Amino acid sequence: MPPRRAPGARPKIGDVAARARVSPGTVSNVLTGRRRVDPALAERVRAAVEALGYVPHAAASQLRSNRTTVIGVVVPDLPNTFCATFVGKVEELARAEGYRTLVAGSGEDADEELAQVQALSAWRPAGVLIIPTDDRFRAREILAAAGVPVVAVDRVTDQMAVDSVGIDNAAEAGRAAAHLLALGHRRVLVIASTLGLSNIRDRVAGVRVALAGRAAVEVVEGGPHVPAIAEAVGRRLERRPVPTAMLALTNKATLGAVVALERAGLSVPRDVSLIGFDDNEWMKAMHPAISAVRQPVEGLARRAWEQLKARLRGDRARPASARLGCSLELRDSTARPEGAGRPGAARPARRRRAGPRSPLPASPRRA
């Protein structure tokens, strides 16, 4: 007869073994698949597990086996489409290799990132993929001390001394700026989240190089949240001259720009052309559809996973750095500024307002 358990006590592997009339080692082999078990015995074990509601203690199991199949993933903004897409792809790739993921969000807070990495370290993860909150990347020291392989993604610098995967931010932002220059724009407003991040600084630098001596460049910092970005851009639009084009350096910066332009009663692209960085589905649904630099988010996830997997298999080479290319998705939000058009060139019709100004972005395009 199986031993009695106290009411509410969590069932243990010994309880499962007693109910199935097998040894605890047999239960372990059935649950982990490490060794083949007679099908009849395995069926008894699974029935006992279900009857008792037994859940293996993952951390204890890892300590006993000295092997972990947990991968930590830390991102700065879980609801952000970029982060959500990245996490989803990593989970898919890890699962295909027999790994499970523990996902944590830092909320764009460096202290919270540190706390999340400390919590993950208690699980002795096989490795960690992280989009750092800032350039200091203090969590690196915790992971290094624990001997945990780590790959930094997106917000990366050459000074991080870990494997990293990102894009050539300066070149890609410069390409978007060059498109605006080719259309005839000479007053460009760059909308940044924060210049405290190296990838944002690199994007600004790329714009400045592309437009050097040929167009005036202003930079507005709005922070990581849409309302503050919209407010910062709105304050700039109250001054003259108004820029003829905007280049927003994150998808939230693009949305903040759309809100600010709507509030100011300015039409895209007739009054101001707009290009975003980090393409998003909502940008294609807008009217007009918004041009954007599309980052290969799933490609970044795949490359980061491949680099981490190499470490898991024993690669001890020096930290590797990979930079992937982007595409420039040109839609309807960019046009030649007034006064720079070819003779007889048609201009988009100015929108008419009905009723008070709305603080919301322009209406999505009808299907």
Side-chain angles (χ1 to χ4, degrees):
M1 171 181 277
R4 289 181 174 274
R5 287 185 294 112
R10 175 175 173 167
K12 299 179 180 179
I13 193 168
D15 300 320
V16 176
R19 186 181 184 96
R21 302 188 306 282
V22 299
S23 71
T26 298
V27 175
S28 178
N29 288 334
V30 170
L31 296 179
T32 63
R34 282 196 297 267
R35 293 185 181 178
R36 185 182 180 280
V37 176
D38 179 82
L41 293 181
E43 184 57 35
R44 290 210 319 249
V45 169
R46 283 190 284 269
V49 166
E50 184 174 352
L52 294 173
Y54 172 71
V55 178
H57 194 302
S61 175
Q62 289 172 191
L63 287 170
R64 286 192 297 270
S65 67
N66 200 32
R67 177 178 181 271
T68 176
T69 56
V70 171
I71 299 297
V73 184
V74 184
V75 296
D77 185 4
L78 278 169
N80 188 299
T81 303
F82 180 100
C83 293
T85 302
F86 175 78
V87 168
K89 190 62 180 180
V90 169
E91 286 185 326
E92 174 192 324
L93 295 168
R95 187 166 53 246
E97 299 281 350
Y99 289 87
R100 294 294 174 178
T101 53
L102 285 178
V103 180
S106 63
E108 296 285 5
D109 184 295
D111 291 334
E112 179 62 20
E113 177 181 276
L114 204 60
Q116 293 284 21
V117 169
Q118 286 173 329
L120 280 174
S121 295
W123 283 84
R124 298 178 64 183
V128 170
L129 298 175
I130 185 168
I131 300 177
T133 297
D134 60 25
D135 294 348
R136 293 175 297 168
F137 190 22
R138 290 180 294 158
R140 175 186 61 243
E141 298 170 7
I142 295 173
L143 297 168
V148 177
V150 59
V151 179
V153 183
D154 185 41
R155 300 174 176 182
V156 298
T157 70
D158 293 335
Q159 289 71 46
M160 284 183 171
V162 297
D163 290 326
S164 66
V165 179
I167 66 166
D168 188 339
N169 286 284
E172 300 298 344
R175 186 150 62 108
H179 171 68
L180 295 174
L181 186 69
L183 289 173
H185 291 280
R186 298 297 180 264
R187 294 193 306 274
V188 178
L189 180 66
V190 178
I191 306 166
S193 53
T194 171
L195 295 177
L197 290 171
S198 61
N199 62 335
I200 300 300
R201 292 196 303 273
D202 289 346
R203 291 172 193 180
V204 171
V207 173
R208 291 193 185 281
V209 169
L211 302 184
R214 292 178 286 181
V217 177
E218 293 181 70
V219 179
V220 167
E221 282 185 86
H225 305 298
V226 173
I229 296 169
E231 196 170 316
V233 175
R235 287 195 298 269
R236 171 58 188 87
L237 294 177
E238 291 172 356
R239 295 187 285 109
R240 296 294 182 269
V242 171
T244 63
M246 293 183 179
L247 203 169
L249 299 184
T250 68
N251 54 49
K252 287 189 176 181
T254 307
L255 183 53
V258 170
V259 173
L261 289 165
E262 178 75 7
R263 288 174 177 170
L266 295 172
S267 174
V268 175
R270 182 181 182 91
D271 300 317
V272 180
S273 285
L274 176 63
I275 292 183
F277 208 109
D278 284 349
D279 196 14
N280 211 304
E281 288 302 310
W282 68 264
M283 297 182 190
K284 291 184 280 188
M286 295 293 293
H287 180 68
I290 298 174
S291 298
V293 175
R294 174 181 283 275
Q295 293 198 71
V297 185
E298 292 194 352
L300 289 169
R302 187 180 300 278
R303 187 62 176 268
W305 171 248
E306 290 298 325
Q307 286 195 201
L308 182 60
K309 193 166 64 172
R311 297 303 185 189
L312 300 179
R313 292 175 175 173
D315 185 354
R316 296 293 180 265
R318 294 173 64 84
S321 176
R323 297 295 179 265
L324 308 187
C326 299
S327 61
L328 180 57
E329 306 294 327
L330 297 178
R331 302 182 181 119
D332 303 326
S333 65
T334 56
R336 299 180 70 83
E338 290 200 13
R342 297 180 300 276
R347 297 291 305 165
R350 185 182 294 272
R351 289 184 300 158
R352 295 180 179 274
R353 289 189 179 276
R357 293 178 183 173
S358 165
L360 300 176
S363 302
R365 187 167 44 193
R366 292 180 181 174

